Amino acid sequence: MKKGVKYLLTSAIGIGLLTGCSQGAAPENSLQTEEKVLAAETQPEAIAPHKDLNQEPIPLKIERVGANEVNVEMTSQITDIEIDKGKFYKAWTFNGEAPGPVVVVNEGDTINFTLKNMDPAIPHSMDFHAVHAAPSKDFSNVKPDETGTFSYPANKPGVFMYHCGTSPVLSHIANGMHGTIIVKPKAGYPTDKEIDREYTIIQNEWYKYNDLDDFTNGVPSHVVFSTKALKEGDPNTNGDTFTLKDNPLLAKVGDKVRIYVNNVGPNEVSSFHVVGTVFDDVYIDGNPFNHYKGLQTVMLPASGGAVVEFTVTKEGSYPIVTHQFNHAQKGAVAILKVTETGEDDGKATMSH
């Protein structure tokens, strides 16, 4: 049996088992789903229902409906993502982005979460690392072309990963279903009044397309950074090797810059470092109680987050890297351009 066919059979069986465990015997339509997946024997580059599918990204919907209650609506969908110049990945995504859009809520909020599964073939789900939940109920599967709604509290501040939790979880994360949720602390951070600029940086890995063996035993072909908009007008990119080099983030001489950083993996650690500066303040996992000062590099396990803050004192290009330079060589580099005015002066930047 070919490796691609073996993986597809395993995936189909896993989907059937998941459905059976959570809802009793597999219904007829789940068998039809398995047949659709198995039909990909002749299309190893993508399962048959995804082969010609490229769904337009749908914006995140987030609405505050009370002092401590927020509605969040997201989609699971199949969208082509350019991960290197001219190289596209038919990603399994949240809202047509990989990583998905950043979700920002407040400490103490109840999140009413809705997932619309636009994938015609595969169940998907949501695992928010930021909440207290019963995973078997609150992170349960939403079937193809169906919608699920769940509620849970976000009682701890920080920078957390979210991802699809459907088995095999590794396939769903590695195919693109990952992102970051920020829970803002009630009392803020002690350095809030000092901050001039805020950005997010998310690190993720790409492997051979939809290859569970490579996800499990291989090494990533690309390790990449993206930035996600914290507010309207902020830059918002997918995880690729080039955008944050060609279109650098900006700051002004003297600015204190805050970065919400998250390593969504799925497998590798990140040694987060900004060349040319030292971190004034670091909050591990984004929790204000985990406060460190004067760090050069922040180690982030797979799923780990942090808030890092630093001051830029001179004009120039400040590469943002993982100091595991085999991964920087594979793409995990962004540029922060610092100018006298904080605007892009059009000059060339250096990179790593």
Side-chain angles (χ1 to χ4, degrees):
M1 182 180 287
K2 295 180 181 178
K3 186 170 80 172
V5 176
K6 181 179 179 182
Y7 164 59
L8 290 164
L9 283 168
T10 303
S11 296
I13 292 167
I15 291 167
L17 288 174
L18 259 170
T19 306
C21 288
S22 61
Q23 299 171 7
E28 184 178 347
N29 63 355
S30 79
L31 297 176
Q32 292 172 350
T33 298
E34 290 180 19
E35 290 168 1
K36 288 181 182 178
V37 175
L38 292 171
E41 286 185 27
T42 57
Q43 302 292 344
E45 74 279 4
I47 68 170
H50 294 173
K51 184 173 183 292
D52 298 312
L53 194 61
N54 182 20
Q55 295 168 325
E56 189 72 19
I58 293 177
L60 168 74
K61 292 182 181 179
I62 185 163
E63 179 187 12
R64 181 157 295 280
V65 294
N68 300 111
E69 188 172 7
V70 63
N71 293 343
V72 176
E73 183 180 298
M74 300 178 72
T75 60
S76 49
Q77 59 182 93
I78 308 303
T79 302
D80 293 345
I81 302 294
E82 189 174 16
I83 64 172
D84 201 358
K85 289 188 176 180
K87 179 179 177 62
F88 287 83
Y89 194 104
K90 189 168 288 296
W92 306 1
T93 76
F94 290 108
N95 293 83
E97 302 180 29
V102 67
V103 177
V104 182
V105 299
N106 296 329
E107 179 185 358
D109 277 346
T110 294
I111 300 173
N112 302 316
F113 176 70
T114 297
L115 180 65
K116 292 187 173 182
N117 186 3
M118 297 169 54
D119 186 329
I122 299 176
H124 296 294
S125 58
M126 174 59 81
D127 177 342
F128 279 122
H129 285 202
V131 304
H132 292 284
S136 58
K137 176 182 177 182
D138 299 321
F139 299 159
S140 61
N141 288 341
V142 178
K143 295 179 182 179
D145 300 317
E146 293 190 5
T147 297
T149 299
F150 314 89
S151 293
Y152 18 62
N155 291 330
K156 300 290 185 184
V159 179
F160 301 97
M161 182 180 178
Y162 69 71
H163 61 86
C164 182
T166 300
S167 181
V169 175
L170 178 56
S171 287
H172 289 254
I173 298 176
N175 274 318
M177 301 194 79
H178 48 240
T180 298
I181 175 171
I182 298 170
V183 182
K184 298 174 72 172
K186 282 182 179 178
Y189 296 97
T191 47
D192 279 347
K193 292 182 179 179
E194 304 169 24
I195 301 303
D196 299 294
R197 307 257 176 165
E198 289 188 319
Y199 294 109
T200 60
I201 293 286
I202 302 173
Q203 179 176 320
N204 76 277
E205 305 140 30
W206 295 109
Y207 296 79
K208 293 177 183 177
Y209 178 76
N210 202 20
D211 187 327
L212 184 58
D213 180 67
D214 193 49
F215 298 162
T216 305
N217 301 305
V219 296
S221 59
H222 302 77
V223 183
V224 293
F225 285 152
S226 61
T227 188
K228 294 296 170 179
L230 291 165
K231 62 182 185 304
E232 189 173 351
D234 284 352
N236 194 82
T237 73
N238 289 311
D240 66 50
T241 63
F242 56 91
T243 302
L244 293 180
K245 300 171 190 173
D246 296 346
N247 301 289
L249 304 176
L250 299 172
K252 182 173 66 175
V253 172
D255 276 353
K256 185 165 184 175
V257 179
R258 171 182 288 167
I259 297 179
Y260 300 89
V261 56
N262 191 200
N263 172 31
V264 298
N267 298 326
E268 305 290 345
V269 299
S270 174
S271 299
F272 190 79
H273 176 75
V274 179
V275 180
T277 191
V278 177
F279 297 140
D280 303 317
D281 298 276
V282 174
Y283 304 96
I284 300 299
D285 264 342
N287 191 309
F289 286 98
N290 304 331
H291 190 182
Y292 292 80
K293 298 183 75 69
L295 300 188
Q296 59 182 316
T297 301
V298 178
M299 179 68 79
L300 301 171
S303 87
V307 169
V308 302
E309 300 171 354
F310 55 93
T311 304
V312 288
T313 60
K314 295 182 178 181
E315 289 187 81
S317 301
Y318 292 68
I320 301 169
V321 302
T322 171
H323 220 281
Q324 292 169 252
F325 268 98
N326 61 328
H327 292 165
Q329 187 68 27
K330 292 182 177 184
V333 179
I335 302 297
L336 176 70
K337 179 187 274 193
V338 179
T339 65
E340 197 62 42
T341 64
E343 299 176 350
D344 195 341
D345 58 9
K347 294 180 181 177
T349 59
M350 68 165 285
S351 184
H352 270 51

